[in-house]
Amino acid sequence: MSHNKGHIPRHLARGKDTPAPVKYGIISMDTTPETLALSSSAAAAAAEHEKLVSQVDRLARARSVIVSTDDARVRARLRALSLPMTLFGEGEAERRERLRSYLADLEMEGIDSRTAGLSPGDNQDIAADDGGVEAMDETELVYTEADPALVAARHAILAASQAAAAARRARLAATLGSRDAATLEEDRIRSLGNATAKHVYVSSQRAGRRTVAHCALAPDGARLATCSWHGCVKVWDAASCELILDMPTAHEERASGVAWSPAAGAGGVDLASCAADMTIKLWNVDAAAAVATRDEAPPPRAVLTGHRDRVSRVAFTPTGDYLASTSFDATWRLWDVASETELLLQDGHSRPVYALGMHPDGSLVGTGGLDALGRVWDLRTGRTAMVLQGHVHAILALDMADNGYHVATGGDDNSVIIWDLRKQHAVYILPAHTKLVSDLAFIPGGSSTLVTASYDATLRLWSGTNMSLLRTYTGHSDKVTSVAVAANAAKFVSSSFDRTFKVWASP
């Protein structure tokens, strides 16, 4: 059918009152602007989002600002900026961060932080040296000769991690060999998450006179260790919750962390504990139980000293031969369990180091600090494998999944971030809780299935396939301080400010 030029077919013609056509039938082409008012909740959420984005941007800018590591120069720069050279109770690290934060604010206002507050004569004396050690670090790698014991430890860790990595790769290859195998593996992970979501708390036990700071399950899941703020360390039967070993004076100050050795039960070191008394103690549980009394703790197998401030967390390598620790002295350290000696003192955080996580191969260790920064360290070389920069506030929890490449961090900003070691960046950011995330743990065999604990008195379970929320567990009457998952994923245990621990399992 054809039409003359300029003639409009009847079925396409429209009258004077016929509405103008719209694209694709639903989109109005009216150019009159229309403004829709946000609801109060949406406006509050938008404001909170804008605030969070601003904080992240400010944090990123602060990391790019070069500040001298010489405290005398930091004081001089603060004075040149008409700021107090020191505040009550402020240490060198806090003073340096205060200067960095102020200079970052100047950068956001468009002011050159390198020359702000300085006269022309000061530029060479103060500003030009502000790079200090940090400026050198960006252009030159500096190596120091390692102690022979550390070199031997690195070789041992390398050999053990290669064997573990080969076994993990073989398991992964079996699940990814075909489309059907990958589908079956995804179904298995989903089923594991669904089974864990059905857990209820099957038992509860009061574990101390004060806050139960941390808990850990033995590799076989049969025993549970807890530590409390009154310096007590206890070992329990995980099934019956009956007390096996009570060490009321294990530490002189608040105990902050416990960890089981993978070699527990072999007659050597079974358990490690740490505390605000700046010590790490190694225990043989059976030997300690044989001599323990109601009022006195048995002598530890060894006491490791060296940290200059309270020790936050401890973790064994998968072989049980080495132990890592983090501390408020802004360092983490590596210890030889057999010789009871310090092998490595490593800095890299500007504030106290709190969180600690060990890679399933033993090749990497992750640390998280109150400087909102996480780092993954290669124990085979001593170098940083990845910097975890994304949290706005302190990182308080860190764990590494047994798939070998996922790392989870949680912190004082109420969020959880999932990182991919292969891609070298974050893959999920979860607004996990309404208060700070105190601890988290991957479910063994569940890819990235994750349990998180929070000061909002809840625990939450996140899917290993898409990180969606599967379940919120309630039962504690106060802040939850830690969570530990059994190696067979049949149960997990949580501790709390309510002075109890609870065992969660299928009814």
Side-chain angles (χ1 to χ4, degrees), residues 102-167:
Y102 184 81
L103 294 177
D105 288 341
L106 294 181
E107 288 282 353
M108 294 187 72
E109 295 174 5
I111 302 174
D112 189 350
S113 64
R114 295 172 297 178
T115 58
L118 300 176
S119 63
D122 292 331
N123 288 346
Q124 292 183 349
D125 183 38
I126 299 176
D129 186 66
D130 271 357
V133 175
E134 291 193 359
M136 178 182 66
D137 286 345
E138 293 179 358
T139 57
E140 179 182 358
L141 289 174
V142 179
Y143 295 93
T144 55
E145 186 174 354
D147 184 87
L150 177 58
V151 174
R154 294 201 190 283
H155 288 164
I157 290 171
L158 172 63
S161 66
Q162 285 178 329

Side-chain angles (χ1 to χ4, degrees), residues 12-284:
L12 294 180
R14 66 183 178 94
K16 180 175 62 175
D17 299 325
T18 305
V22 294
K23 267 190 176 181
Y24 305 113
I26 59 171
I27 303 176
S28 175
M29 302 305 292
D30 186 2
T31 58
T32 304
E34 181 180 7
T35 303
L36 298 178
L38 293 175
S39 65
S40 58
S41 59
E48 182 65 23
H49 176 73
E50 185 66 25
K51 180 182 177 182
L52 184 62
V53 170
S54 176
Q55 288 177 322
V56 171
D57 184 50
R58 182 174 177 275
L59 181 63
R61 287 179 179 272
R63 295 299 169 200
S64 66
V65 173
I66 297 175
V67 178
S68 177
T69 54
D70 185 347
D71 187 56
R73 294 187 178 276
V74 171
R75 289 172 178 264
R77 189 69 193 279
L78 288 169
R79 183 175 184 178
L81 291 166
S82 300
L83 298 173
M85 288 193 295
T86 187
L87 301 177
F88 179 76
E90 184 179 57
E92 293 184 8
E94 288 81 6
R95 186 159 41 250
R96 187 164 176 260
E97 285 302 304
R98 179 161 61 90
L99 174 59
R100 187 195 297 273
S101 178
Y102 184 81
L103 294 177
D105 288 341
L106 294 181
E107 288 282 353
M108 294 187 72
E109 295 174 5
I111 302 174
D112 189 350
S113 64
R114 295 172 297 178
T115 58
L118 300 176
S119 63
D122 292 331
N123 288 346
Q124 292 183 349
D125 183 38
I126 299 176
D129 186 66
D130 271 357
V133 175
E134 291 193 359
M136 178 182 66
D137 286 345
E138 293 179 358
T139 57
E140 179 182 358
L141 289 174
V142 179
Y143 295 93
T144 55
E145 186 174 354
D147 184 87
L150 177 58
V151 174
R154 294 201 190 283
H155 288 164
I157 290 171
L158 172 63
S161 66
Q162 285 178 329
R168 189 186 72 250
R169 285 197 302 270
R171 291 194 302 271
L172 289 175
T175 62
L176 300 177
S178 67
R179 183 185 297 272
D180 290 340
T183 301
L184 289 173
E185 175 64 7
E186 185 174 333
D187 290 342
R188 186 193 65 80
I189 294 171
R190 187 178 293 106
S191 297
L192 178 61
N194 292 336
T196 307
K198 296 177 182 178
H199 284 4
V200 296
Y201 86 80
V202 294
S203 56
S204 179
Q205 179 64 272
R206 180 169 174 173
R209 299 193 307 269
R210 297 183 65 189
T211 296
V212 183
H214 200 231
C215 64
L217 279 164
D220 60 2
R223 293 177 291 182
L224 168 72
T226 62
C227 64
S228 302
W229 277 6
H230 62 282
C232 176
V233 174
K234 297 183 179 183
V235 178
W236 310 80
D237 184 292
S240 65
C241 293
E242 293 182 357
L243 188 61
I244 297 174
L245 172 64
D246 185 4
M247 298 183 286
T249 56
H251 289 276
E252 296 177 359
E253 295 188 36
R254 291 182 299 175
S256 54
V258 286
W260 286 93
S261 169
V269 172
D270 296 327
L271 185 70
S273 62
C274 61
D277 59 10
M278 300 183 287
T279 67
I280 302 165
K281 295 187 178 182
L282 306 180
W283 309 89
N284 180 288

Side-chain angles (χ1 to χ4, degrees), residues 305-379:
T305 59
H307 280 294
R308 294 178 286 105
D309 208 332
R310 62 181 182 177
V311 186
S312 311
R313 291 285 190 263
V314 286
F316 285 92
T317 59
T319 61
D321 295 327
Y322 307 101
L323 178 75
S325 61
T326 55
S327 170
F328 272 60
D329 63 10
T331 71
W332 70 271
R333 307 189 187 208
L334 187 68
W335 310 81
D336 187 307
V337 174
S339 65
E340 303 166 7
T341 57
E342 179 185 300
L343 295 175
L344 173 68
L345 184 158
Q346 181 67 61
D347 54 19
H349 291 271
S350 61
R351 302 288 300 276
V353 190
Y354 194 86
L356 179 65
M358 190 68 63
H359 192 273
D361 298 346
S363 56
L364 307 172
V365 63
T367 58
L370 303 193
D371 55 3
L373 197 67
R375 289 185 181 274
V376 178
W377 308 84
D378 192 330
L379 291 176

